[in-house]
Amino acid sequence: MKIKLLPVYLTIAVMALLQSCSKEDDTYSDKQTNIALTLVNPEDLSGVSFSDLSISFKELNTGKVTQSTSFVNNKLTITLSEGSYEIAVDGKIRYAADGSTAEASVSGYNKSVVITGQTAAVSLNLFLKTTQSDFIIEEVFFTGTKTPEGKQYWGDKYFKIYNNTDKVLYADGLMIAQSEFMTTDKQAYTPNIMAQSFAASNIAIVPGKGTTYPIAPGEFFIIAEDAINHKEYNSASIDMRTAAFEFYTEDADDVDNPAVPNMENLFSSMVIHNRGFKSFVIARLPITKDAFLANNTYDYEYNLVIGGESYPMGESVYSIPNTWIIDAVNLSVQSEFQWIVTAPTLDMGWTYCGKVDADQSRYGKSVRRKVLSSASNGKKILKDTNNSTLDFSPEVKPSLMN
């Protein structure tokens, strides 16, 4: 789609005594703060009651974790030392739905809440967690590698998609999309559709007729940028010839391995951002490709401010309804993060490779989902709380390098 010149993450509500953490005072003493925490119900729910609620407060300077389950309805009082805290809540919820009662899991998260003074009031938004019944993103190797001579090498990035369920899943028709927006650049996009849809800059689809590519429980498949033996060109890279699929663009200077099926480019060609400014989702397409292209365009506008001057901008891309999305991971850079670019119901956190922009130490590192448990048959269960900050290990060695 062409750019045209023309003439957002629902933030977790935190009240009272919040400060910027960019210049945090590391001299917090043993002073105690009495905290009144209120959990805010997910939107549009009535007749709400909670059970099995648990909360953890992790002090970011010391690493000390304080846990509690002492909720009365959706309120908790607790005394903590002054400091900067990561707060995470998990539990179950009952609510009225169509004349009956429905049950679901909920979670809430705030990466940094600064607490000082004798008392503090904090509120935390809760979001419904979807039940996992399809693939999840196990790993994203987006940084690429460097040659022994220190030059940036292209083409060896990959996605690792895992069957975290107890049934056979089919990769056929699975969509993978890269975000249009960047986690390092927050703009007031109009209209803001993030609560309903994911704006995509690239979308590719696994080929197949529906049952062509079965993936057993506990198994994975790789989508490679280029499914070749990269070690022939860079000894620090990876042999990707065993990938299940590869991205390929016919009208570009791209490498094609005819032994590996190509992903179908639904919208634009997949060019994986190697600094981690963008986010990714996988989704199921419940309509035809032609119907998607006809009915899911997204035209947005915003004002680009440079040097105090405002320039009206806009673009037309495609969006994927959140109800189609089965997993998401937000990526960013520690020093540059501004917002997540998915609805928090899909992912309320983010992960990274690189602590500063263009971090030279990021090469040869990936983000990998944590293992929650392992079954007696060797099948591992991966952590999936819809919070990439908690679910993923940042800056780790890519699994295909092991």
Side-chain angles (χ1 to χ4, degrees):
M1 311 296 282
K2 296 182 178 179
I3 296 177
K4 56 184 179 181
L5 292 177
L6 302 172
V8 208
Y9 172 69
L10 178 61
T11 57
I12 295 177
V14 178
M15 303 162 51
L17 301 172
L18 297 188
Q19 304 174 12
S20 169
C21 295
S22 60
K23 296 182 179 180
E24 183 182 333
D25 184 358
D26 292 331
T27 62
Y28 287 122
S29 67
D30 290 332
K31 293 180 180 179
Q32 302 290 295
T33 301
N34 295 318
I35 301 164
L37 175 74
T38 301
L39 302 181
V40 180
N41 295 339
E43 290 185 350
D44 302 323
L45 296 186
S46 60
V48 172
S49 62
F50 297 97
S51 63
D52 299 329
L53 282 175
S54 63
I55 186 167
S56 67
F57 299 85
K58 180 181 179 180
E59 210 290 306
L60 299 176
N61 296 295
T62 64
K64 180 181 178 182
V65 176
T66 303
Q67 296 179 315
S68 178
T69 58
S70 302
F71 284 90
V72 177
N73 295 323
N74 61 336
K75 298 182 183 297
L76 169 76
T77 57
I78 192 170
T79 300
L80 298 173
S81 299
E82 290 187 337
S84 181
Y85 286 85
E86 174 188 84
I87 304 176
V89 175
D90 280 290
K92 296 180 180 178
I93 190 173
R94 289 174 175 265
Y95 58 96
D98 299 325
S100 61
T101 300
E103 295 184 354
S105 296
V106 291
S107 63
Y109 181 75
N110 196 325
K111 185 175 178 60
S112 185
V113 179
V114 177
I115 297 173
T116 60
Q118 292 184 343
T119 62
V122 178
S123 66
L124 198 65
N125 284 10
L126 292 178
F127 300 96
L128 293 178
K129 294 165 60 176
T130 57
T131 301
Q132 180 59 42
S133 60
D134 213 317
F135 292 108
I136 61 174
I137 301 169
E138 178 178 355
E139 180 180 10
V140 187
F141 178 47
F142 62 90
T143 61
T145 56
K146 275 190 171 183
T147 67
E149 296 75 29
K151 295 182 179 180
Q152 183 173 281
Y153 180 80
W154 299 92
D156 54 1
K157 308 180 189 74
Y158 67 82
F159 296 92
K160 189 175 186 179
I161 310 299
Y162 186 74
N163 181 353
N164 209 36
T165 76
D166 58 359
K167 62 183 179 181
V168 173
L169 297 175
Y170 294 92
D172 307 52
L174 188 74
M175 304 170 69
I176 186 165
Q178 182 170 233
S179 65
E180 167 71 1
F181 304 138
M182 297 191 295
T183 58
T184 58
D185 181 28
K186 186 175 183 179
Q187 300 287 348
Y189 299 111
T190 304
N192 183 350
I193 63 168
M194 206 170 291
Q196 295 82 37
S197 297
F198 176 81
S201 62
N202 320 97
I203 304 174
I205 298 180
V206 174
K209 298 181 179 180
T211 57
T212 308
Y213 302 107
I215 308 296
E219 298 297 325
F220 66 86
F221 65 93
I222 298 294
I223 307 174
E225 190 171 38
D226 290 314
I228 62 173
N229 184 5
H230 296 278
K231 295 178 73 68
E232 293 182 359
Y233 309 96
N234 173 18
S235 61
S237 190
I238 309 168
D239 185 350
M240 301 286 289
R241 289 175 295 177
T242 58
F245 308 98
E246 68 174 349
F247 298 111
Y248 179 66
T249 305
E250 292 184 357
D251 58 352
D253 185 17
D254 199 1
V255 179
D256 184 27
N257 181 350
V260 176
N262 293 329
M263 296 285 287
E264 299 177 7
N265 294 321
L266 182 62
F267 168 55
S268 189
S269 299
M270 185 66 70
V271 180
I272 304 169
H273 197 289
N274 80 343
R275 285 149 70 193
F277 286 4
K278 296 205 170 186
S279 302
F280 296 94
V281 301
I282 54 176
R284 291 291 188 180
L285 184 65
I287 59 177
T288 66
K289 299 168 190 175
D290 288 342
F292 173 82
L293 294 174
N295 299 308
N296 289 274
T297 56
Y298 170 43
D299 301 323
Y300 67 88
E301 302 175 8
Y302 68 102
N303 290 318
L304 179 64
V305 179
I306 302 177
E309 296 292 330
S310 181
Y311 301 90
M313 300 292 291
E315 191 161 350
S316 180
V317 293
Y318 287 93
S319 67
I320 301 172
N322 291 343
T323 53
W324 299 0
I325 295 173
I326 57 177
D327 197 29
V329 55
N330 281 280
L331 302 176
S332 197
V333 178
Q334 281 192 325
S335 64
E336 305 297 318
F337 173 76
Q338 294 188 25
W339 66 335
I340 65 170
V341 294
T342 64
T345 51
L346 301 175
D347 185 12
M348 62 182 70
W350 56 278
T351 187
Y352 64 92
C353 286
K355 296 178 174 61
V356 297
D357 186 17
D359 194 333
Q360 293 300 299
S361 69
R362 77 186 187 279
Y363 293 104
K365 295 178 181 177
S366 74
V367 297
R368 292 172 61 185
R369 196 177 290 270
K370 298 174 183 177
V371 176
L372 188 64
S373 63
S374 295
S376 58
N377 61 2
K379 177 182 179 293
K380 61 187 179 183
I381 305 299
L382 301 183
K383 188 173 183 180
D384 183 22
T385 67
N386 292 353
N387 186 334
S388 289
T389 305
L390 303 179
D391 293 345
F392 281 82
S393 296
E395 299 188 311
V396 297
K397 184 177 181 180
S399 60
L400 297 190
M401 286 187 176
N402 292 331

